[in-house]
Amino acid sequence: MNHKNEAPSSKSSTNWIQHPLINPEMIESRLYQQVLAAEVLKKGNAMIVAPTALGKTIVAALVSAERLKKNPSSKILMLAPSKPLAVQHEESLRKFLKVPVNVLTGSLPPDKRIKLWEKSQIISATPQTIESDIITGRYDLKDVSLMVFDECHRGIGNYAYVFLASRYMSETKNPLILGLTASPGGEEEKISAVCENLFINKVIVKTEEDVDVKPYFKPIKIKWVKVELGKQQLNIKKHLETVLKNRLKGLKNLGIIRSISHVSKSDILQARGRVQKRISRNTQPPKDCLMAISMLTAVFSLQHALELLETQGINNLYNYFTKLRKKKTKASQGLFKNADFNRAVQLTQKAQKDKVEHPKMKKLIKILKKELEKNQQIIVFSQYRDTVNDIHRKCKENNIKSVKFFGQAARDKEKGLTQKEQKKIIKNFRKGEYQVLISTSVAEEGIDIPSVDLVILYEPVPSEIRMIQRRGRTGRKTKGQMIVLITKNTRDESYYYSSIRKEKKMKNQLSKGYYQIEPLLKQIKPQPKIQDKKENQPMVYVDHRESKSGVVRELSNLGVEIKTATLSVADYQISSELAVERKSVQDFAGSIIDKRLYKQARELVENFNKPLLIVEGENLYGGGLHPNAVRGALASLAVDFGIPIIPTLSPEDTAAMIYRLVIREQEKTSKEIPLRTERKPLSLQEHQIFIIESLPNVGPVTARKLLEKFKSVKGVINASEQDLTEVEGIGKIIARKIREVIDSGFKYGVINGKAAPDKELKLSDDYFNEDKVN
């Protein structure tokens, strides 16, 4: 395997790094890399900002070798945001250095990770894996003499880098942190936040214009290729824009937005937040507010539909419409009652049946055929997995040897790639078994394939960081080229120019060397040292689904011993009597809608003498439900179930509350907590309530009233509509729905009264959530 830092020609004419821990004739001697390494070793925690392909990993290897030379019994921890990148670092460091190197990711079982940690001197890992192991006490960071954060611009918010840097600085006697990035972003505030979170006190910038870097820098030629939508796509667009314009006019008339021009998704989300706050302040919210929420949701859906049409293709839009039709919200139902929207759906169905493709696809295949005549290796990026699949299919049709590359998460019926499969794909692509690698964003960061001659972006992205990362996959060994496909007069153009503007701003900031930031860095105080574990250390059982939450991180920082388990009831078990169910305000609203809340409340009461619910978040009424529905649920939990409810503002606040509960409870009782991994069996009465509660609009209170009225489940089932309305809480509409469920015959394969289509396309939750697929 070629490395970007190896000599380009004969070994006899090359100067090599000589060090007792570096393999001979393996790292080419480059002055700027040695100067960078020396500066880190001399000045302490540092961030190196340098273009891709200049060997930032080599700098990390040089610093690692020197730290291990001075601290022979210590360890080096190299962190990377993705498994493929962690594996790549392991391969490089193993080749460069004379010490045991291994990779740790979540694909390995915990016992094996512990053994590898103990026997390795250099560990390459994903931060989430290390974070989980540190929190659960499988090992600690005391012996780590250097922690490297690759793609360190991610060190903001709740990302695992932040926790690990804090824990490392508090546990280690002689810490050293090195951050590496090619694209820190153009916002001074963000860089300051990254430096503060990762305890950086020196920012070192290298650019392609530096005299010592220029000889090694390979320029990348950028070309954008524009296409125009076809008549069928333009017709669909016209109908969608008509619906969108009418919804935006309605929002303007309600005073929710000021203008109907250039309204972005972020504008809609902000407007929704303002409306939800207004709703939360009213016992009887104005009808205009409820109408506005529905209209804002519809606008968001329409904007996403237009983005798919303009930038991706008919298949993506068809899949999205299929998913949208299955939703039962007023917003989606209102859209399908609109004539223009329905016409857009019909035209999309026809275009999909006629196999109409986005003009980008034809242009892409033409470019690939032309470039492959030059025996080039090419990476094609798209942020949607559906598009990756379409490109791969089209390549097959044109006898182009291509391979798909994406993350480990499953999407629809397609399984994700395992770490082993990802590693094999990259290896085979490097060997030339494939001509084209078609990837989602998972290959953006750091993946080193020296022979890539061309990178093609199926769509531009508005982030300067992601554009730089994608571009950096070429030009690593020779001059590179990047082609960006852009649809004229669409958001493709605005996204592209947005990224260019942001990158220009970032370069201007880089030219200043972040001199304004460094005085602030000196104010960063080191973390207080974590105390060694004591015999009376407080302990809590945490359900494994909660293990990645900010609450667990903060509990660990507070000195609580964390034991993860599969809890059948609750998220946190504090004692044999006390358990806590934690819900964000969004999850609280969702659990009211799907009735999980009452089922979980009943299980809490049945299994623990002291059940407790924590509702986390600043806007309790911001989940999209009518405030009275939320108030009714709170009243039911407190009065009908007798469950105390504690509001908290954030994960940190929740952790502080749980910590007080742990201290209070475990001071009075034995620390030995009998773990509840199974629910108590339901009694006959509980079974009966459970069955009746499954009927439409029937909660636990109404279920009891129905059973008390009709004496048995059979009595409820046999009750007429008129009889049902005699029960408090059951009106004519609910009674009719109950009878409809009981009396209707079951027909397999029938949806909404119509036969399901033979080839109905299903859409993954990524489209439903408007998220990008990795």
Side-chain angles (χ1 to χ4, degrees):
M1 177 176 66
N2 290 323
H3 282 279
K4 57 192 172 191
N5 306 90
E6 291 178 7
S9 57
S10 66
K11 294 190 176 183
S12 59
S13 61
T14 303
N15 292 322
W16 303 97
I17 293 288
Q18 294 183 3
H19 190 281
L21 295 180
I22 295 176
N23 287 314
E25 297 191 359
M26 198 52 64
I27 298 178
E28 180 188 356
S29 177
R30 294 185 183 180
L31 182 60
Y32 73 89
Q33 291 174 342
Q34 295 172 68
V35 169
L36 287 171
E39 198 162 357
V40 173
L41 289 164
K42 181 181 178 182
K43 296 186 178 180
N45 297 357
M47 176 196 296
I48 294 176
V49 182
T52 56
L54 286 184
K56 292 185 290 294
T57 306
I58 286 295
V59 177
L62 296 176
V63 176
S64 299
E66 192 60 23
R67 289 293 278 184
L68 289 175
K69 180 184 174 184
K70 290 188 176 181
N71 306 278
S73 61
S74 70
K75 297 179 184 293
I76 308 295
L77 180 56
M78 178 91 170
L79 296 165
S82 69
K83 291 182 181 180
L85 188 50
V87 170
Q88 177 179 291
H89 285 325
E90 180 226 9
E91 292 173 347
S92 297
L93 294 170
R94 187 189 294 271
K95 186 169 186 178
F96 295 147
L97 300 171
K98 297 178 180 179
V99 296
V101 182
N102 281 293
V103 64
L104 296 185
T105 70
S107 303
L108 298 171
D111 289 347
K112 189 170 183 181
R113 294 203 299 266
I114 293 171
K115 290 178 181 177
L116 284 174
W117 177 273
E118 290 172 349
K119 75 176 186 179
S120 304
Q121 270 206 284
I122 297 184
I123 300 101
S124 177
T126 52
Q128 296 84 358
T129 303
I130 301 297
E131 178 188 55
S132 174
D133 288 348
I134 295 299
I135 286 173
T136 51
R138 294 187 179 110
Y139 43 79
D140 56 47
L141 302 173
K142 290 179 181 177
D143 295 330
V144 175
S145 61
L146 171 66
M147 184 176 283
V148 182
F149 295 96
D150 195 17
E151 311 298 348
C152 66
H153 54 267
R154 286 175 170 258
I156 56 175
N158 290 324
Y159 194 66
Y161 278 3
V162 180
F163 169 83
L164 290 173
S166 175
R167 180 57 62 92
Y168 176 58
M169 292 295 290
S170 64
E171 280 190 351
T172 310
K173 291 181 180 179
N174 184 25
L176 180 61
I177 287 175
L178 172 58
L180 307 173
T181 181
S183 46
E187 299 297 328
E188 187 176 324
E189 295 81 7
K190 182 182 176 183
I191 296 298
S192 295
V194 172
C195 291
E196 183 175 352
N197 291 338
L198 302 187
F199 301 89
I200 301 294
N201 53 44
K202 179 71 177 175
V203 180
I204 309 168
V205 179
K206 300 298 291 183
T207 72
E208 55 265 34
E209 300 301 322
D210 291 342
V211 176
D212 55 351
V213 168
K214 251 184 176 180
Y216 302 99
F217 183 73
K218 305 295 185 293
I220 299 170
K221 181 182 177 183
I222 301 173
K223 178 182 178 183
W224 51 96
V225 176
K226 294 192 174 184
V227 300
E228 294 184 358
L229 289 175
K231 288 183 179 180
Q232 286 171 285
Q233 287 115 326
L234 287 172
N235 199 10
I236 296 168
K237 183 181 178 181
K238 180 185 72 175
H239 288 287
L240 288 176
E241 285 181 335
T242 299
V243 187
L244 177 61
K245 189 175 181 180
N246 289 336
R247 292 294 194 279
L248 289 173
K249 281 182 178 178
L251 289 169
K252 186 181 178 183
N253 292 337
L254 291 172
I256 306 302
I257 58 175
R258 294 180 180 179
S259 170
I260 65 172
S261 301
H262 307 294
V263 180
S264 66
K265 285 184 178 181
S266 62
D267 293 332
I268 295 302
L269 290 173
Q270 289 172 16
R272 182 183 174 91
R274 292 194 297 269
V275 175
Q276 286 175 335
K277 283 184 179 178
R278 188 179 171 192
I279 289 174
S280 68
R281 291 195 294 265
N282 291 273
T283 307
Q284 294 294 334
K287 288 185 178 179
D288 284 356
C289 287
L290 301 176
M291 186 188 304
I293 287 291
S294 180
M295 292 173 71
L296 287 164
T297 304
V299 165
F300 199 86
S301 298
L302 287 163
Q303 287 179 327
H304 188 62
L306 279 165
E307 181 176 339
L308 293 175
L309 173 67
E310 291 177 350
T311 70
Q312 302 303 309
I314 292 296
N315 277 343
N316 299 61
L317 182 61
Y318 174 77
N319 290 346
Y320 183 60
F321 283 155
T322 302
K323 184 70 176 182
L324 203 58
R325 189 185 291 276
K326 294 176 182 177
K327 293 182 67 176
K328 301 301 179 184
T329 63
K330 288 183 179 180
S332 60
Q333 290 176 346
L335 286 174
F336 281 97
K337 290 176 183 177
N338 181 280
D340 276 296
F341 188 81
N342 267 318
R343 184 59 182 152
V345 173
Q346 291 166 5
L347 290 170
T348 301
Q349 290 171 337
K350 185 178 185 304
Q352 201 268 345
K353 187 177 180 182
D354 294 341
K355 298 183 178 180
V356 173
E357 292 177 337
H358 197 287
K360 285 183 184 178
M361 188 66 76
K362 184 177 180 180
K363 182 66 70 174
L364 173 64
I365 297 301
K366 185 178 179 180
I367 292 169
L368 289 176
K369 285 183 175 180
K370 180 181 176 181
E371 296 298 329
L372 289 173
E373 287 177 0
K374 305 173 189 175
N375 197 30
Q376 297 202 26
Q377 276 199 297
I378 301 169
I379 297 180
V380 179
F381 280 108
S382 175
Q383 54 188 341
Y384 291 95
R385 196 184 287 187
D386 274 7
T387 304
V388 167
N389 288 332
D390 287 344
I391 296 170
H392 181 57
R393 174 182 52 79
K394 201 67 181 175
C395 284
K396 275 187 171 181
E397 292 174 6
N398 287 272
N399 297 317
I400 296 171
K401 291 190 293 181
S402 67
V403 63
K404 298 184 291 183
F405 190 73
F406 43 80
Q408 299 190 47
R411 295 286 184 270
D412 201 7
K413 292 182 179 179
E414 184 176 38
K415 291 182 178 179
L417 294 173
T418 64
Q419 179 183 323
K420 186 177 180 180
E421 289 170 332
Q422 289 176 336
K423 188 175 179 179
K424 184 178 179 181
I425 288 170
I426 292 296
K427 182 180 179 181
N428 290 339
F429 183 60
R430 281 179 178 144
K431 288 165 61 179
E433 291 186 18
Y434 302 109
Q435 298 167 297
V436 180
L437 181 79
I438 310 162
S439 179
T440 58
S441 60
V442 73
E444 284 178 357
E445 290 183 314
I447 298 297
D448 180 21
I449 306 170
S451 56
V452 172
D453 307 282
L454 171 64
V455 166
I456 301 175
L457 309 191
Y458 195 79
E459 71 284 303
V461 287
S463 163
E464 79 281 17
I465 292 176
R466 294 183 65 194
M467 285 290 280
I468 291 168
Q469 293 290 354
R470 289 183 174 194
R471 186 170 71 230
R473 297 316 103 213
T474 186
R476 304 180 79 83
K477 188 177 179 183
T478 58
K479 291 181 180 180
Q481 184 183 7
M482 182 174 81
I483 294 176
V484 186
L485 298 177
I486 298 175
T487 313
K488 288 182 181 178
N489 303 316
T490 68
R491 59 206 71 209
D492 264 355
E493 290 184 331
S494 59
Y495 285 171
Y496 180 70
Y497 292 121
S498 173
S499 69
I500 294 229
R501 186 174 63 253
K502 290 175 182 177
E503 185 175 346
K504 186 177 180 181
K505 183 179 178 182
M506 186 192 79
K507 285 185 175 180
N508 289 337
Q509 187 67 52
L510 281 172
S511 66
K512 299 173 186 176
Y514 295 111
Y515 296 127
Q516 315 93 311
I517 296 174
E518 292 193 1
L520 300 175
L521 304 184
K522 295 176 182 178
Q523 301 172 18
I524 298 174
K525 296 178 181 178
Q527 287 289 94
K529 298 295 180 182
I530 295 284
Q531 298 297 318
D532 291 334
K533 291 183 180 180
K534 301 176 182 178
E535 289 186 10
N536 61 347
Q537 182 185 15
M539 186 271 285
V540 63
Y541 281 110
V542 179
D543 185 70
H544 68 93
R545 288 162 292 191
E546 276 281 303
S547 61
K548 294 181 181 179
S549 75
V551 176
V552 176
R553 293 175 193 160
E554 191 60 26
L555 282 171
S556 178
N557 284 335
L558 290 169
V560 177
E561 182 183 356
I562 305 295
K563 291 189 177 181
T564 56
T566 302
L567 302 182
S568 59
V569 179
D571 295 317
Y572 300 87
Q573 185 181 335
I574 293 171
S575 70
S576 59
E577 295 190 325
L578 176 57
V580 177
E581 179 74 22
R582 166 188 171 253
K583 288 189 179 296
S584 66
V585 291
Q586 293 82 6
D587 185 37
F588 185 71
S591 63
I592 294 173
I593 294 169
D594 61 20
K595 296 186 180 181
R596 278 183 296 120
L597 182 63
Y598 304 110
K599 180 174 179 289
Q600 290 170 333
R602 184 171 56 244
E603 289 172 347
L604 275 171
V605 171
E606 289 166 354
N607 286 272
F608 294 96
N609 293 330
K610 299 176 184 177
L612 182 67
L613 175 68
I614 289 179
V615 182
E616 179 186 295
E618 294 187 4
N619 187 3
L620 182 59
Y621 303 100
L625 282 179
H626 194 291
N628 286 343
V630 176
R631 294 177 185 118
L634 293 171
S636 178
L637 290 169
V639 177
D640 298 323
F641 292 97
I643 298 177
I645 303 157
I646 298 178
T648 60
L649 297 175
S650 64
E652 291 77 16
D653 192 17
T654 300
M657 176 56 67
I658 291 175
Y659 179 72
R660 295 316 310 168
L661 291 168
V662 171
I663 296 298
R664 185 177 182 276
E665 191 72 9
Q666 294 182 10
E667 279 180 350
K668 300 184 299 182
T669 60
S670 168
K671 189 187 168 188
E672 293 298 323
I673 305 173
L675 179 62
R676 302 283 178 84
T677 57
E678 295 182 0
R679 297 181 179 89
K680 291 181 179 178
L682 294 179
S683 65
L684 175 61
Q685 183 187 40
E686 289 165 345
H687 271 296
Q688 291 171 321
I689 292 172
F690 182 75
I691 292 170
I692 300 304
E693 198 180 327
S694 66
L695 293 171
N697 300 98
V698 176
V701 177
T702 307
R704 286 191 183 91
K705 290 178 180 177
L706 284 166
L707 287 165
E708 288 170 0
K709 168 73 175 175
F710 299 110
K711 308 302 181 186
S712 66
V713 172
K714 183 178 180 181
V716 176
I717 298 298
N718 289 335
S720 66
E721 272 188 42
Q722 182 62 38
D723 292 337
L724 290 169
T725 59
E726 294 175 8
V727 176
E728 184 184 353
I730 303 287
K732 290 182 179 180
I733 295 175
I734 295 177
R736 184 163 62 251
K737 287 181 178 179
I738 291 173
R739 286 307 329 165
E740 184 182 358
V741 168
I742 293 170
D743 297 333
S744 297
F746 177 73
K747 295 179 182 179
Y748 179 76
V750 172
I751 301 174
N752 293 335
K754 297 180 181 180
D758 291 337
K759 294 184 179 180
E760 182 181 7
L761 291 176
K762 295 181 179 179
L763 186 69
S764 72
D765 287 338
D766 296 283
Y767 284 104
F768 176 65
N769 292 327
E770 321 293 14
D771 287 339
K772 308 304 182 194
V773 179
N774 286 332

